C-alpha cells in the first residue's frame, strides 16, 4: 500500500523565555489559504474552503513528495501556486465542490492583495509586541525587552489570520521582502548567539516572508530568488544543527528544519513550473531539484507520499538529465548498491557547496553501513586497516575509530597499524535516534 | 444513450455534469441498482468529455481544469455506490475511472482514499466484483506498488491482472506486461524474447540480455537509450537496481570459466581478474570499488562466500555459491 503520511502537528521549536506562545487556533480563524480564497472569490471563506468530497487521507502539506511541477490541487492547475507554510488550516485538498456555486471556481484574474508595508515589520505589530514583551533578542534595542525599532523588528510568522483583519499595510511588498531576506542572511553569519537561537529566529521570520509572498501570489524571478535563499538557509542550518546535535532538543530542531525545507522546495518547484510557462527559467533549477533527491538519503525524513520513481516520471527530461540531477541520482544509486568508494569519490569531485552541506549529516550513516558490509563479508583473519578505510570513506582515522567503536567493532593493533577484524558479532548499526553519540557529525572531506 | 458527438466545438462539461448530478441524485434515492449501467455510462462519458475539454482548453491557452472537476464529481458517485447493499458491486468501475483520472492528472496520492474504501470492506468480497473491473483495479494498484517499490505485492497484483485479463485484448496485456516485466526481473524471473517480441516490449530486450550474460556495459547502454521512456513509466529505478544481479552473473561466469581451467582453485577469484573483466567491458573500476561491490553482493546473499582484503581475493563458498533469488527481491 502507499505509505501513509501522518498529519503532524508541528510546534515551531523551542520558545525562549519571555516569548509568548501563539494562541491556539480559535474557531473562526482561518489559515492564509482560506483567507486568500475568501478574498478572491468573494464568498465566505468557510464555504469556499469546505470540500464536500471525502477527504483524501494523504496530507500533502506535511512534507509530501511530489512532482517537480505544479499538480492539480485545491484550485485550478497552474493558476498560480500556494506556498506551503501556511496551509495547515486547509481542510481539504479536493477542488471546490460544484455545489458551492460557480463562483467557487476562482477567476484567475482577481487581483491578489498588494502589500504596502514599508518596514520589515508592520508598525502595528511592532507596537503590539513591544507592549506584550514579545521581542526576540535580535529585535531589542539595547537589550530592552520592551523596545524595538524599524531596523531591528522583523515580522513574525502568523499561523492563522483572521479573515477580516488582513490589511495591505500589514503585508510587505517584494522589495521590502528582499531587504528582509538580506537582513536575515546577514544575521545568520553573526555568531554572537548560539546557533540554535539564531536558527530559530530566522526559521520563523523566513516563514513569515514566504507567507507574505504567498498571500500576494507573487511568482517571478525575485520571489524565486527569495525562496532559493530560504532553502539555502535551511541547508546550512541542516549542516550546522547536525554538527552540534548533542541533545534531543537540537535533534527535533533538525527534524523540523528538514520538514520545512521540504515544504519550501516543493513550493519552489511549483514556482519553477509556473515560470516555465512564460518561457523563463532560473539558472539554479537543476541544483534545487537535486536537493530533493539527496534528501532521500536520510532515513530520518518521513517517507514522502509518492515515491521518487513517481516524482521523476513527472519531471521534464531536461531537468532529470541535468548534471546536478545526474550527480544526485548516481550517488543515491551508489548508496543503494553499496558502492561506497564511488559514492565518496563522486561527492568529493562533483558536489556543489550546497549539495555537500545537504549530504554531510548523512555521511556517517553511509560509513556505518559500509562497515556493516565489510564486517559481514570480510575474511576473519585478514584485518581491515583503518588507514585504508579512512581513505575510502573519506573520514579522519580518529573519527573512524570512534565510529567503529560506536558500531561495536573492536579495533586491533599490530605495531603501528590499527585495523578491525571482520565477522565480529558485536556489530550493530547505530539507530538513527542516538544523536547524542554524535554519529551523524561528518568531518572534512578530503578534496 | 449514444455518446454525444462533439463535432461542434467545445463540448459543455458543466451542463453534462449538471445532468450527471441530477441523475446521481435520483440514483441515490432508488433502492435497487437497476440503473447501474446507466450510472456507469454517465461516469465514463464525463471522464472522456472532460479529457477532451481539457485538451481543447490547453490548445487555446487556457487552464485545463475540467478533468479535475470530473474527478470531484466521480468521487461523489463513488460515495453513492460504496455503501452497504446491492449498489456496492458497481463501485469498482467508478474506482477505475477515478484511477484513470488521477493517473492522468498525476495526483495519484488521491487514489489512496478510494483504495482504502474498497479494501477495507467488511461485508463484501472483492471477488464479487465483475472481472473486468477487477483486472483494471489490480493493474492500477499494481502500478502504484511499483512506484513504491513493493515488488512482491506488485507482482501479485499485476500477475492477477495478467491472469484474468481477456486473452484477446493484446493492448491491455501489453500494458500489464510493461510493468510486470521489470517487477519480475527484480525477483530474478526473466521473460523469453518471444514474449517481448509478441507484445512489442523490446525496450526490455537488451536489459534481459545483459542479465543473462552479465554484461554490465549493455545494461548501462540500454538504460541510457531508453532513459526518458523508462523514467516516464516509473520503472527506471527498478531496472537500475538490476545492476547487482548483473554483477553476480558476471562473477558466476568467471567462476565457470575458472572451473573449466583449474577446478581446484575455481572458488577463488582474484579481484584483479574482475577489474580486468570490467575494463574489457569498457568500465573503469579500481580494486577498492570492486571490493565494495563484492562486500555488498555477499551481504545481500547474492553470492555466498567472503573476500580476503589483504590478498584481494574473493573466496566463494564451495556449496551453492550463487543462491537463487527464489522470488525475493534483491
Amino acid at each position: 500500500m502507499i505509505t501513509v503520511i501522518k498529519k503532524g502537528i508541528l510546534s515551531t521549536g523551542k520558545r525562549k523565555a519571555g516569548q509568548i506562545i501563539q494562541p491556539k487556533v480559535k474557531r473562526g480563524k482561518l489559515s492564509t489559504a482560506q483567507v486568500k480564497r475568501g478574498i478572491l472569490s468573494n464568498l465566505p471563506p468557510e464555504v469556499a474552503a469546505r470540500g464536500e468530497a471525502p477527504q483524501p487521507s494523504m496530507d500533502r502539506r506535511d512534507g509530501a513528495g511530489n512532482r517537480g511541477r505544479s499538480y492539480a490541487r485545491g484550485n485550478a492547475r497552474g493558476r498560480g501556486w500556494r506556498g506551503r507554510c501556511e496551509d495547515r488550516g486547509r481542510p481539504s485538498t479536493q477542488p471546490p465542490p460544484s455545489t458551492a456555486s460557480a463562483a467557487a471556481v476562482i477567476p484567475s484574474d482577481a487581483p491578489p492583495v498588494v502589500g504596502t508595508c514599508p518596514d520589515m515589520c508592520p508598525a502595528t505589530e511592532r507596537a503590539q509586541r513591544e507592549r506584550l514583551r514579545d521581542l526576540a533578542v535580535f529585535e531589542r534595542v539595547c537589550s530592552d525587552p520592551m523596545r524595538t525599532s524599524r531596523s531591528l523588528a522583523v515580522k513574525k510568522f502568523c499561523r492563522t489570520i483572521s479573515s477580516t483583519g488582513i490589511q495591505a499595510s500589514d503585508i510587505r511588498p517584494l522589495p521590502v521582502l528582499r531587504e528582509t531576506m538580506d537582513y536575515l542572511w546577514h544575521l545568520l553569519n553573526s555568531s554572537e548567539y548560539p546557533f540554535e537561537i539564531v536558527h530559530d529566529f530566522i526559521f520563523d521570520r523566513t516563514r513569515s516572508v514566504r507567507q507574505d509572498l504567498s498571500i500576494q501570489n507573487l511568482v517571478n524571478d525575485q520571489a524565486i530568488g527569495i525562496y532559493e535563499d530560504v532553502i539555502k538557509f535551511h541547508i546550512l542550518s541542516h549542516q550546522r544543527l547536525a554538527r552540534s546535535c548533542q541533545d534531543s532538543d537540537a535533534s527535533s530542531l533538525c527534524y523540523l528544519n528538514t520538514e520545512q525545507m521540504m515544504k519550501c522546495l516543493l513550493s519552489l518547484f511549483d514556482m519553477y513550473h509556473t515560470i516555465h510557462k512564460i518561457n523563463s527559467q532560473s539558472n539554479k533549477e537543476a541544483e534545487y531539484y537535486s536537493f530533493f533527491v539527496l534528501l532521500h538519503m536520510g532515513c530520518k525524513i518521513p517517507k514522502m507520499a509518492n515515491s521518487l520513481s513517481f516524482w521523476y516520471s513527472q519531471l521534464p527530461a531536461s531537468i532529470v538529465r541535468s548534471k546536478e540531477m545526474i550527480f544526485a541520482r548516481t550517488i543515491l544509486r551508489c548508496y543503494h548498491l553499496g558502492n561506497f568508494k564511488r559514492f565518496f569519490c563522486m561527492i568529493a569531485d562533483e558536489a556543489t557547496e550546497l549539495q555537500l552541506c545537504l549530504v554531510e549529516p548523512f555521511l556517517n550513516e553511509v560509513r556505518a553501513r559500509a562497515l556493516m558490509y565489510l564486517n559481514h563479508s570480510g575474511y576473519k583473519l585478514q584485518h581491515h586497516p583503518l588507514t585504508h578505510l579512512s581513505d575510502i570513506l573519506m573520514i579522519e582515522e580518529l573519527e573512524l575509530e570512534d565510529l567503529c567503536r560506536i558500531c561495536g567493532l573492536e579495533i586491533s593493533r599490530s605495531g603501528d597499524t590499527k585495523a578491525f577484524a571482520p565477522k565480529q558479532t558485536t556489530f550493530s548499526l547505530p539507530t538513527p535516534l542516538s544523536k547524542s553519540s554524535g554519529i551523524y557529525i561528518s568531518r572534512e572531506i578530503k578534496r | 444513450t449514444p455518446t454525444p458527438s462533439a463535432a461542434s466545438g467545445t463540448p459543455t462539461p458543466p451542463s453534462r455534469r449538471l445532468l450527471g448530478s441530477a441523475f446521481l441524485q435520483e440514483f441515490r434515492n432508488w433502492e435497487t441498482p437497476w440503473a447501474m449501467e446507466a450510472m456507469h455510462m454517465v461516469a465514463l462519458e464525463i471522464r472522456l468529455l472532460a479529457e477532451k475539454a481539457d485538451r481543447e482548453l490547453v490548445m487555446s491557452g487556457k487552464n485545463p481544469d475540467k478533468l479535475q472537476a470530473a474527478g470531484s464529481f466521480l468521487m461523489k458517485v463513488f460515495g453513492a455506490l460504496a455503501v452497504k447493499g446491492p449498489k456496492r458491486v458497481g463501485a469498482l468501475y467508478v474506482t477505475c475511472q477515478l484511477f484513470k483520472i488521477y493517473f492522468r492528472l498525476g495526483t495519484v496520492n488521491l487514489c489512496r482514499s478510494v483504495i482504502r474504501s474498497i479494501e477495507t470492506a467488511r461485508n463484501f468480497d472483492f471477488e464479487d466484483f465483475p472481472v473486468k473491473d477487477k483486472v483494471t483495479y489490480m493493474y492500477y494498484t499494481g502500478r502504484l506498488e511499483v512506484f513504491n517499490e513493493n515488488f512482491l505485492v506488485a507482482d501479485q497484483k499485476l500477475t492477477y491482472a495478467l491472469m484474468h485479463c481477456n486473452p484477446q485484448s493484446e493492448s491491455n496485456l501489453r500494458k500489464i506486461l510493461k510493468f510486470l516485466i521489470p517487477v519480475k526481473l527484480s525477483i530474478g524471473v526473466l521473460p523469453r524474447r518471444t514474449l517481448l517480441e509478441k507484445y512489442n516490449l523490446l525496450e526490455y530486450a537488451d536489459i534481459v540480455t545483459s542479465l543473462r550474460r552479465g554484461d554490465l556495459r549493455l545494461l548501462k547502454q540500454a538504460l541510457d537509450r531508453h532513459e526518458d521512456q523508462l523514467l516516464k513509466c516509473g520503472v527506471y529505478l527498478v531496472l537500475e537496481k538490476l545492476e547487482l544481479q548483473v554483477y553476480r552473473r558476471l562473477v558466476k561466469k568467471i567462476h565457470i570459466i575458472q572451473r573449466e581451467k583449474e577446478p581446484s582453485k575455481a572458488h577463488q577469484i582474484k579481484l584483479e581478474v574482475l577489474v580486468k573483466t570490467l575494463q574489457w567491458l569498457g568500465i573503469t573500476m579500481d580494486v577498492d570499488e570492486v571490493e565494495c561491490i563484492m562486500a555488498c553482493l555477499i551481504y545481500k546473499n547474492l553470492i555466498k562466500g567472503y573476500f580476503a582484503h589483504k590478498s584481494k581475493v574473493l573466496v566463494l563458498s564451495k556449496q551453492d555459491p550463487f543462491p537463487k533469488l527464489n522470488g525475493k527481491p534483491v
Side-chain angles (χ1 to χ4, degrees):
Chain A
M1 294 305 280
I2 309 174
T3 320
V4 181
I5 293 218
K6 295 206 192 83
K7 282 190 198 195
I9 310 295
L10 297 183
S11 73
T12 51
K14 254 173 36 171
R15 292 264 159 213
K16 286 150 283 301
Q19 253 198 8
I20 298 191
I21 310 226
Q22 290 287 352
K24 287 223 188 294
V25 179
K26 297 206 186 94
R27 286 198 189 279
K29 291 226 169 200
L30 302 161
S31 76
T32 320
Q34 288 168 302
V35 165
K36 217 178 351 168
R37 263 204 296 264
I39 290 171
L40 298 180
S41 72
N42 294 321
L43 279 181
E46 296 89 349
V47 175
R50 186 180 52 210
E52 267 194 46
Q55 304 280 345
S57 47
M58 281 307 219
D59 196 75
R60 261 180 299 203
R61 305 184 298 253
D62 294 300
N66 279 294
R67 304 160 7 169
R69 56 189 169 93
S70 141
Y71 49 91
R73 167 174 76 101
N75 302 301
R77 212 207 298 186
R79 71 173 291 287
W81 58 278
R82 298 272 183 271
R84 270 155 241 257
C85 58
E86 74 292 69
D87 274 354
R88 199 156 310 117
R90 273 173 66 178
S92 161
T93 50
Q94 288 284 6
S98 48
T99 52
S101 95
V105 176
I106 290 149
S108 50
D109 45 23
V113 178
V114 177
T116 57
C117 170
D119 306 319
M120 293 197 292
C121 183
T124 43
E125 183 180 316
R126 275 206 309 268
Q128 185 194 37
R129 288 207 278 138
E130 274 178 335
R131 244 185 7 254
L132 298 173
R133 288 172 177 257
D134 184 15
L135 296 172
V137 286
F138 307 98
E139 295 172 314
R140 298 177 191 173
V141 175
C142 304
S143 304
D144 182 351
M146 289 194 71
R147 265 177 56 207
T148 184
S149 74
R150 292 180 65 182
S151 57
L152 291 178
V154 185
K155 185 178 174 190
K156 253 181 141 172
F157 171 67
C158 186
R159 224 180 277 227
T160 59
I161 300 173
S162 122
S163 60
T164 48
I166 193 164
Q167 304 246 6
S169 58
D170 283 341
I171 309 287
R172 298 162 285 182
L174 194 53
V176 178
L177 289 172
R178 182 69 251 174
E179 274 173 33
T180 311
M181 198 60 222
D182 289 337
Y183 170 74
L184 290 173
W185 196 253
H186 159 79
L187 206 58
L188 181 61
N189 299 317
S190 81
S191 55
E192 213 179 285
Y193 289 93
F195 183 71
E196 275 91 353
I197 297 187
V198 179
H199 163 84
D200 207 37
F201 180 72
I202 301 185
F203 183 102
D204 181 80
R205 301 308 192 260
T206 48
R207 227 171 154 187
S208 168
V209 167
R210 281 160 50 206
Q211 192 174 39
D212 277 5
L213 280 174
S214 164
I215 291 176
Q216 298 174 86
N217 211 4
L218 289 168
V219 183
N220 53 34
D221 291 336
Q222 295 139 292
I224 284 180
I226 292 179
Y227 258 78
E228 286 172 350
D229 283 346
V230 174
I231 290 173
K232 263 203 277 199
F233 153 70
H234 282 300
I235 292 180
L236 293 176
S237 277
H238 178 73
Q239 178 198 43
R240 288 182 70 170
L241 287 175
R243 278 187 182 176
S244 65
C245 246
Q246 293 300 330
D247 56 8
S248 58
D249 275 343
S251 84
S252 79
L253 274 184
C254 277
Y255 176 89
L256 292 172
N257 182 56
T258 318
E259 202 165 13
Q260 201 60 226
M261 180 179 2
M262 187 68 72
K263 288 190 193 176
C264 210
L265 272 173
L266 294 173
S267 295
L268 182 60
F269 296 158
D270 281 349
M271 293 169 89
Y272 284 151
H273 178 64
T274 308
I275 64 165
H276 276 177
K277 292 190 179 166
I278 53 172
N279 280 328
S280 172
Q281 199 175 350
S282 159
N283 55 7
K284 301 190 202 144
E285 259 183 41
E287 195 186 355
Y288 281 79
Y289 276 115
S290 77
F291 296 150
F292 184 77
V293 178
L294 293 173
L295 279 172
H296 280 74
M297 270 205 305
C299 45
K300 294 168 276 183
I301 296 162
K303 190 122 193 280
M304 270 70 86
N306 290 320
S307 66
L308 209 49
S309 272
F310 177 75
W311 189 72
Y312 287 148
S313 73
Q314 308 289 308
L315 280 185
S318 58
I319 299 288
V320 186
R321 280 187 182 266
S322 67
K323 187 170 73 106
E324 293 87 345
M325 279 293 276
I326 290 184
F327 166 77
R329 287 164 58 197
T330 312
I331 64 165
L332 202 59
R333 192 183 86 229
C334 288
Y335 170 68
H336 286 305
L337 262 40
N339 188 347
F340 305 109
K341 174 86 203 280
R342 184 161 294 223
F343 178 87
F344 283 99
C345 281
M346 273 198 81
I347 291 184
D349 289 337
E350 292 183 32
T352 62
E353 289 288 334
L354 286 173
Q355 283 172 333
L356 192 52
C357 286
L358 191 51
V359 299
E360 195 185 274
F362 306 140
L363 291 181
N364 271 7
E365 220 171 286
V366 179
R367 291 170 180 135
R369 192 176 275 266
L371 289 175
M372 179 170 78
Y373 287 12
L374 295 172
N375 181 52
H376 177 274
S377 316
Y379 182 43
K380 199 159 51 166
L381 297 179
Q382 288 193 11
H383 297 196
H384 230 110
L386 292 190
T387 22
H388 177 250
L389 260 184
S390 77
D391 272 342
I392 295 190
L393 301 178
M394 296 198 175
I395 178 176
E396 283 175 89
E397 221 179 293
L398 289 171
E399 292 277 334
L400 181 59
E401 240 188 279
D402 283 338
L403 188 60
C404 286
R405 266 190 216 109
I406 292 170
C407 295
L409 283 178
E410 235 183 77
I411 310 284
S412 57
R413 258 204 158 92
S414 74
D416 269 340
T417 47
K418 294 192 205 144
F420 80 87
K423 299 281 196 274
Q424 293 189 35
T425 48
T426 47
F427 181 91
S428 71
L429 211 52
T431 59
L433 297 168
S434 62
K435 273 191 187 296
S436 52
S437 56
I439 182 123
Y440 299 109
I441 302 171
S442 87
R443 292 300 177 214
E444 295 282 334
I445 303 235
K446 297 177 201 169
R447 281 188 181 261
Chain B
T1 27
T3 329
S5 77
S8 51
T10 317
T12 51
S15 65
R16 199 82 202 155
R17 218 173 336 121
L18 282 172
L19 182 67
S21 287
F23 185 78
L24 180 61
Q25 281 285 69
E26 291 305 309
F27 184 82
R28 271 197 246 255
N29 294 331
W30 297 321
E31 273 187 30
T32 64
W34 65 272
M36 188 64 72
E37 262 190 54
M39 190 76 248
H40 284 176
M41 195 70 190
V42 169
L44 177 65
E45 275 188 15
I46 294 252
R47 176 176 72 84
L48 293 176
L49 278 176
E51 282 178 13
K52 194 162 204 294
D54 268 3
R55 279 198 290 272
E56 298 202 8
L57 283 171
V58 166
M59 281 204 292
S60 57
K62 296 200 210 110
N63 215 15
D65 56 356
K66 299 296 177 205
L67 195 55
Q68 201 183 320
S72 172
F73 172 71
L74 285 184
M75 261 308 222
K76 281 192 251 169
V77 176
F78 178 77
L81 293 177
V83 295
K84 284 193 195 146
K87 288 188 189 163
R88 193 177 177 82
V89 73
L92 205 61
Y93 180 85
V94 179
T95 307
C96 294
Q97 295 301 317
L98 278 169
F99 282 164
K100 290 182 199 220
I101 292 180
Y102 294 149
F103 269 75
R104 174 71 63 109
L105 289 175
T107 54
V108 295
N109 46 329
L110 292 175
C111 294
R112 210 183 164 274
S113 62
V114 280
I115 291 177
R116 217 170 40 172
S117 247
I118 298 279
E119 299 203 349
T120 59
R122 256 170 270 177
N123 300 323
F124 199 88
D125 189 5
F126 182 75
E127 292 305 317
D128 289 340
F129 285 120
V131 166
K132 67 175 177 65
D133 292 343
K134 283 190 287 192
V135 169
T136 314
Y137 179 81
M138 284 298 195
Y139 167 74
Y140 280 105
T141 49
R143 278 185 67 180
L144 289 170
E145 299 296 349
V146 174
F147 278 137
N148 291 318
E149 306 200 347
N150 300 330
F151 297 134
L152 291 174
V153 184
D155 186 20
Q156 278 167 16
K157 296 197 176 211
L158 291 170
T159 306
Y160 181 103
L162 190 69
M163 292 297 155
H164 294 82
C165 183
N166 180 358
Q168 315 290 353
S169 170
E170 287 219 358
S171 74
N172 281 349
L173 287 170
R174 179 176 187 275
K175 282 186 192 161
I176 298 173
L177 282 170
K178 194 152 87 147
F179 296 95
L180 185 55
I181 288 176
V183 171
K184 287 286 193 197
L185 289 178
S186 71
I187 58 176
V189 176
L190 273 54
R192 292 208 197 113
R193 189 174 171 103
T194 44
L195 183 73
L196 297 177
E197 279 169 3
K198 179 172 181 193
Y199 292 101
N200 192 20
L201 288 167
L202 288 166
E203 58 263 34
Y204 295 136
D206 278 345
I207 295 176
V208 175
T209 312
S210 75
L211 279 169
R212 282 194 218 277
R213 293 214 291 236
D215 190 343
L216 202 62
R217 177 172 50 186
L218 188 59
L219 177 68
K220 287 190 194 290
Q221 280 172 349
L223 285 176
D224 213 41
R225 201 178 326 131
H226 301 289
E227 188 177 353
D228 289 343
Q229 192 185 10
L230 297 173
L231 279 170
K232 280 268 173 298
C233 293
V235 295
Y236 185 88
L237 291 183
V238 178
L239 296 170
E240 210 180 42
K241 295 205 165 79
L242 295 174
E243 197 176 316
L244 276 180
Q245 290 185 45
V246 177
Y247 277 116
R248 177 182 110 117
R249 183 82 191 142
L250 189 62
V251 175
K252 188 168 181 181
K253 283 203 140 171
I254 295 177
H255 171 63
I256 291 172
I257 294 173
Q258 281 192 195
R259 209 166 50 192
E260 287 175 14
K261 282 192 177 166
E262 224 188 310
S264 60
K265 283 218 182 139
H267 65 285
Q268 287 182 17
I269 301 182
K270 293 209 177 99
L271 295 182
E272 266 305 316
V273 172
L274 276 161
V275 174
K276 284 209 189 101
T277 317
L278 289 167
Q279 214 164 32
W280 181 74
L281 280 172
I283 297 175
T284 330
M285 256 191 218
D286 64 13
V287 126
D288 290 328
E289 214 176 323
V290 171
E291 194 177 70
C292 281
I293 296 177
M294 293 302 121
C296 185
L297 285 170
I298 295 169
Y299 181 84
K300 300 201 174 178
N301 214 28
L302 285 166
I303 292 184
K304 271 213 189 122
Y306 59 86
F307 71 87
H309 173 74
K310 201 160 158 225
S311 352
K312 306 261 178 266
V313 171
L314 171 70
V315 179
L316 297 169
S317 153
K318 297 233 172 103
Q319 280 174 338
D320 193 24
F322 301 100
K324 285 213 184 295
L325 286 167
N326 266 340
K328 283 198 215 124
V330 175

